[in-house]
Amino acid sequence: MSSRSSELTPLRLVWVGLALAGLALALWRGETLWQGARATELVAQAVLALWCLIETMLRRNWAALLTLPALALGIGFALPLYLFIRSRRIT
């Protein structure tokens, strides 16, 4: 089995599928650049950004910083994307 196919576990496929669904919904509804975000969503995004920054500093998982610009498209895209990135093996 190749290393590339072994990295895409069923759980990682769920994360990427949910991220793509969140992206599609955000674009379909026109919710880009925090447009239409409620206060609770903004708080959740701030918490995710803080979590991402702290864990990136601790684990040196620099790819997780891609989550920060993804927050502009909403928590429904950014959180599964972060979980997808975080669930890979770090060498």
Side-chain angles (χ1 to χ4, degrees), residues 6-43:
S6 66
E7 286 187 26
L8 286 178
T9 63
L11 181 60
R12 291 194 80 216
L13 289 173
V14 168
W15 293 142
V16 77
L18 289 171
L20 292 173
L23 174 64
L25 283 171
L27 293 176
W28 179 61
R29 295 184 66 192
E31 297 175 354
T32 57
L33 299 176
W34 297 279
Q35 200 171 359
R38 294 179 289 190
T40 56
E41 293 169 3
L42 293 175
V43 169

Side-chain angles (χ1 to χ4, degrees), residues 3-79:
S3 63
R4 177 166 281 198
S5 64
S6 66
E7 286 187 26
L8 286 178
T9 63
L11 181 60
R12 291 194 80 216
L13 289 173
V14 168
W15 293 142
V16 77
L18 289 171
L20 292 173
L23 174 64
L25 283 171
L27 293 176
W28 179 61
R29 295 184 66 192
E31 297 175 354
T32 57
L33 299 176
W34 297 279
Q35 200 171 359
R38 294 179 289 190
T40 56
E41 293 169 3
L42 293 175
V43 169
Q45 289 183 1
V47 169
L48 178 60
L50 182 62
W51 179 25
C52 175
L53 289 172
I54 290 171
E55 225 177 67
T56 298
M57 288 187 290
L58 293 175
R59 296 180 72 198
R60 306 284 190 242
N61 185 6
W62 303 113
L65 292 175
L66 292 172
T67 304
L68 298 177
L71 285 168
L73 294 171
I75 194 79
F77 172 55
L79 180 59

